[in-house]
Amino acid sequence: ELRDRLNGAFKKILGRGKLTERNISDSLREVRKVLLEADVNYKVAKEFIARVEEEAIGREVTQSITPGQEVIKVVYDQLVELLGGQPSPLRPTRGSKIMLVGLQGSGKTTTAGKLAKRFNSQGFKPLLVPADPYRPAAVDQLRILGESLGVEVYSPTKGEDPVKLCQRACNWVQSSGFDLLILDTAGRLHIDEEMMEELRQIKKAIAPEEILLVADAMTGQEAVRVADEFEAKLGIDGIILTKLDGDAQGGAALSMRAATGRPIRMVGVGEKPEDLEIFYPDRMASRILG
Amino acid sequence: VLGRPAIDEAIWEKIEEALMLSDMGWEVTTKLLDGLKERVAQGELNDPSLLIPALRERLMAVMGDGKGFDLRPHSKPWVIMVIGINGTGKTTTIGKLSHLYHRRGYRVLLAASDTFRAAGTEQLSLWAELSGADLVKNIPGADPASVAYDALEAAIGRGYDLLIVDTAGRLHTKVNLMEELKKIKRVLGKRLPGSPHEVLLVLDATTGQNAISQAKLFDQGVGITGLVLAKLDGTAKGGIVVAIKEKLGIPVQFVGTGEGIEDLEVFDPQEFLNALFE
Ligand SMILES: Nc1nc2c(ncn2[C@@H]2O[C@H](COP(=O)(O)OP(=O)(O)OP(=O)(O)O)[C@@H](O)[C@H]2O)c(=O)[nH]1
Ligand SMILES: Nc1nc2c(ncn2[C@@H]2O[C@H](COP(=O)(O)OP(=O)(O)OP(=O)(O)O)[C@@H](O)[C@H]2O)c(=O)[nH]1
Ligand SMILES: [Mg+2]
Ligand SMILES: [Mg+2]
């Protein structure tokens, strides 16, 4: 528990007074260790600690708390700020097009169902578009989800090119009373140039209002690179972190936000359509710090 | 001595960064570095150029002691159970494994024990077709253990060489889902003592330290005989398997290198370390 470890590190400091570079170096090492164990990217953690040090040095330790607590407070506040400060939930407008992208198995198709349920209950009339012709039974998966939610799923022709499918769906939406398009794409590697080009083509064809990177909360050090490349090669508007119902501390959240500056909008907290929540920076900060 | 580069703090930092970025984790990284520093202090290593080979040697000792996955079934039917958290690549790996065995002339039966996830059975059914395997399945919501049981009965009755059981993805922290997994294993073992002969945990190579928790809890629950490290064709190095081998002694049997039916390789520690040190 970070609090105890930092208090331990500070036992050696007699009296109170100011936080100095010397007396906080041990506690900063402890914090760095906690961040790395929580899967925060190595370089992101380094920069973060430097920022914390800058912020902490010279602070007066007030009578009521220990130096360790003061450092924790700085770390926590910096973390919350870096994670976005305030929640920034997904608030689409009528006629919006939401496009889900990400690595294989991150939870895009399931999340598409969750978004459909959420906005359906908010009075939208969503259309789900299964733009993954590659994965065996991917279209079936989204179709079954849609059926269970009473949400329409667009029907691709067998093996239809995703770009053409999206254009077709987009044209159809405008004339048929749907006011929200949720587009599920195939999982792909950020380094697969052909597949990244496919995403660019879809973006060019339908100009989605919201491109969301769906990422696994337990992603390790590579989180920075993945987010970086999706942002650089495609451009993303936000992030959805999935599988937060597990025991992963979720340092990937900090890594991805730090790498792209994009807000983490929502989090997946289970396998059912109702398991979608708004992302709260303060809750995530507490989770990362354990 | 003049002109020989020193092993200084900058070098240690570079090595620490490389190991950390590969997802080996703080504990394993620190242990490896301490080991190297000790050897430097003893005078065994006195040049920076000796550090990486020494590190590689140490890692080879951790990862390379296995005899490699023995692909031959030792009894009939040989039962392989595939487990892991959501989305790691279990169903796809089974398709690849099935193909691997089919190519070697074995008759393979697959059990669609993921009766929970949308189109879980349909997905495996397609892989059965692609790999020349037969499939035992049931309707969505059916008891996964009963599907496994029916499949084992069929495997025994119709003389299949291999039975591979697909299970639903589940988080290791969900006690009731872990109980369901134990039940599947129990039911198999009761019908055919000694089965399942292999329990493979499929890990996503992009996963960070949580993989250790996954391995620990799945091992405690049903016992893991080996790991499949999937999605190693991405940019992640999969260093988590070093931590898992160090702490839990569980070896990597296979590596997934893509989404195609041929994209499965038997684990080669040399290859793995080559990629790690690239
Ligand atoms: N526990 C948990 N499981 C989740 C969550 N989100 C998705 N899943 C599960 O993760 C697995 C993968 O989800 P999919 O929706 O198929 O992932 P995907 O990104 O569409 O996969 P590809 O299309 O193959 O790239 C499934 O078993 C889902 O039920 C979550 O928030 N929590
Ligand atoms: N690039 C790459 N993708 C893979 C690999 N193995 C599996 N995948 C992809 O990962 C995604 C998830 O694979 P699945 O086989 O559905 O995973 P799963 O563990 O069965 O998922 P659940 O049953 O939902 O828990 C699919 O898009 C696969 O094509 C691999 O080795 N490399
Ligand atoms: Mg999908
Ligand atoms: Mg599966």
Side-chain angles (χ1 to χ4, degrees):
Chain A
E1 147 78 72
L2 184 61
R3 202 178 308 269
D4 304 326
R5 288 153 86 169
L6 292 201
N7 279 332
F10 271 113
K11 268 216 309 289
K12 313 182 191 112
I13 304 169
L14 299 154
R16 294 180 187 266
K18 285 200 170 75
L19 293 179
T20 67
E21 195 170 321
R22 257 188 77 219
N23 68 20
I24 64 173
S25 68
D26 280 347
S27 54
L28 286 183
R29 218 180 343 263
E30 277 303 309
V31 174
R32 186 163 155 259
K33 192 160 164 243
V34 166
L35 294 178
L36 292 175
E37 285 171 346
D39 283 323
V40 174
N41 178 272
Y42 186 81
K43 295 176 186 158
V44 170
K46 212 175 197 176
E47 286 166 24
F48 179 79
I49 292 299
R51 203 200 228 110
V52 166
E53 184 174 34
E54 216 172 289
E55 188 60 31
I57 285 179
R59 276 205 182 196
E60 282 289 348
V61 184
T62 64
Q63 285 305 315
S64 54
I65 65 175
T66 66
Q69 286 170 326
E70 185 65 26
V71 171
I72 292 180
K73 185 167 182 326
V74 176
V75 171
Y76 177 80
D77 290 345
Q78 286 289 318
L79 256 182
V80 173
E81 192 186 326
L82 245 177
L83 287 167
Q86 292 297 325
S88 169
L90 199 53
R91 291 217 176 92
T93 53
R94 309 259 157 224
S96 278
K97 301 176 229 70
I98 301 171
M99 178 179 171
L100 302 180
V101 303
L103 298 180
Q104 291 89 347
S106 64
K108 297 173 291 301
T109 305
T110 308
T111 301
K114 292 176 181 179
L115 292 172
K117 179 175 174 71
R118 180 181 183 86
F119 297 124
N120 197 23
S121 65
Q122 284 181 9
F124 285 89
K125 188 154 182 266
L127 177 71
L128 286 165
V129 182
D132 178 0
Y134 313 106
R135 169 173 155 156
V139 177
D140 287 326
Q141 187 183 359
L142 195 62
R143 190 181 42 76
I144 290 168
L145 275 176
E147 270 168 32
S148 71
L149 297 169
V151 171
E152 182 89 18
V153 179
Y154 199 64
S155 270
T157 58
K158 187 122 201 298
E160 181 171 11
D161 168 50
V163 183
K164 294 216 165 53
L165 169 68
C166 293
Q167 277 170 322
R168 245 184 359 105
C170 232
N171 296 335
W172 186 66
V173 163
Q174 312 192 341
S175 58
S176 50
F178 293 95
D179 56 10
L180 191 68
L181 195 92
I182 300 170
L183 172 47
D184 180 24
T185 68
R188 69 205 63 219
L189 295 178
H190 47 300
I191 52 171
D192 186 335
E193 291 314 324
E194 218 172 291
M195 288 298 273
M196 293 307 286
E197 174 59 19
E198 176 184 280
L199 290 181
R200 281 194 292 268
Q201 292 291 333
I202 295 174
K203 179 181 182 179
K204 197 153 136 235
I206 66 162
E209 279 73 19
E210 195 90 25
I211 299 179
L212 299 171
L213 175 64
V214 177
D216 202 318
M218 59 192 78
T219 309
Q221 296 291 305
E222 240 10 59
V224 164
R225 178 151 178 203
V226 172
D228 237 353
E229 302 231 9
F230 270 91
E231 165 61 7
K233 294 176 181 174
L234 173 69
I236 60 176
D237 300 293
I239 297 165
I240 296 184
L241 273 189
T242 61
K243 307 177 202 171
L244 264 159
D245 43 319
D247 60 350
Q249 277 172 270
L254 184 63
S255 300
M256 292 190 165
R257 170 85 202 209
T260 62
R262 298 299 176 210
I264 299 168
R265 296 229 184 265
M266 316 291 289
V267 293
V269 292
E271 298 193 63
K272 305 210 192 71
E274 54 262 32
D275 297 329
L276 185 75
E277 292 177 359
I278 294 173
F279 174 77
Y280 291 97
D282 54 356
R283 289 186 206 171
M284 192 75 218
S286 307
R287 180 175 180 136
I288 289 175
L289 291 179
Chain B
V1 174
L2 242 68
R4 176 188 284 160
I7 296 177
D8 59 2
E9 199 50 47
I11 293 200
W12 292 126
E13 272 200 35
K14 272 184 92 197
I15 297 181
E16 178 183 271
E17 180 174 290
L19 294 177
M20 280 303 301
L21 289 176
S22 76
D23 279 314
M24 259 185 234
W26 185 253
E27 199 181 311
V28 168
T29 297
T30 307
K31 206 165 167 197
L32 289 169
L33 279 175
D34 287 348
L36 284 179
K37 286 177 181 171
E38 180 63 16
R39 292 183 67 186
V40 169
Q42 303 284 354
E44 284 181 47
L45 304 168
N46 54 16
D47 193 82
S49 64
L50 298 175
L51 293 177
I52 298 299
L55 193 55
R56 228 196 120 108
E57 184 186 348
R58 178 81 234 289
L59 283 168
M60 194 60 200
V62 175
M63 302 306 296
D65 65 348
K67 43 201 162 25
F69 190 74
D70 183 357
L71 284 170
R72 290 160 311 150
H74 295 278
S75 57
K76 192 167 166 173
W78 191 248
V79 181
I80 302 175
M81 189 173 157
V82 179
I83 65 178
I85 67 155
N86 308 73
T88 56
K90 298 176 290 300
T91 306
T92 307
T93 297
I94 290 172
K96 297 171 183 178
L97 262 177
S98 171
H99 173 68
L100 200 148
Y101 279 108
H102 184 250
R103 266 205 351 250
R104 282 171 166 72
Y106 294 107
R107 276 183 63 225
V108 181
L109 182 66
L110 304 181
S113 281
D114 178 358
T115 57
F116 172 75
R117 206 209 66 214
T121 295
E122 287 86 329
Q123 186 186 3
L124 188 67
S125 174
L126 286 164
W127 280 112
E129 268 177 58
L130 291 167
S131 63
D134 293 325
L135 177 75
V136 168
K137 60 179 180 172
N138 207 321
I139 60 168
D143 174 22
S146 69
V147 179
Y149 181 86
D150 292 343
L152 185 51
E153 274 295 345
I156 294 168
R158 293 186 237 150
Y160 285 92
D161 298 303
L162 276 130
L163 171 66
I164 311 178
V165 181
D166 190 14
T167 62
R170 69 203 65 224
L171 292 183
H172 46 302
T173 46
K174 304 208 168 162
V175 178
N176 57 327
L177 297 182
M178 293 307 285
E179 284 306 311
E180 177 184 272
L181 207 61
K182 288 183 198 174
K183 184 173 171 210
I184 296 173
K185 184 183 185 197
R186 220 171 29 242
V187 157
L188 291 170
K190 245 175 123 212
R191 180 60 188 86
L192 181 69
S195 80
H197 306 95
E198 297 279 353
V199 178
L200 298 177
L201 175 69
V202 181
L203 291 175
D204 188 327
T206 66
T207 306
Q209 298 309 297
N210 194 253
I212 300 173
S213 173
Q214 293 173 31
K216 196 177 277 160
L217 292 183
F218 274 105
D219 193 35
Q220 278 174 14
V222 291
I224 304 167
T225 60
L227 305 175
V228 177
L229 186 60
K231 308 178 195 172
L232 205 55
D233 46 315
T235 54
K237 304 276 172 146
I240 44 165
V241 298
V242 176
I244 293 173
K245 184 83 200 322
E246 264 278 283
K247 288 160 120 5
L248 303 172
I250 304 171
V252 182
Q253 309 285 33
F254 293 102
V255 169
T257 57
E259 303 191 68
I261 204 166
E262 302 268 333
D263 297 331
L264 187 75
E265 295 169 18
V266 172
F267 181 65
D268 177 353
Q270 292 285 3
E271 282 285 336
F272 178 74
L273 292 179
N274 289 344
L276 208 92
F277 283 106
E278 226 147 61

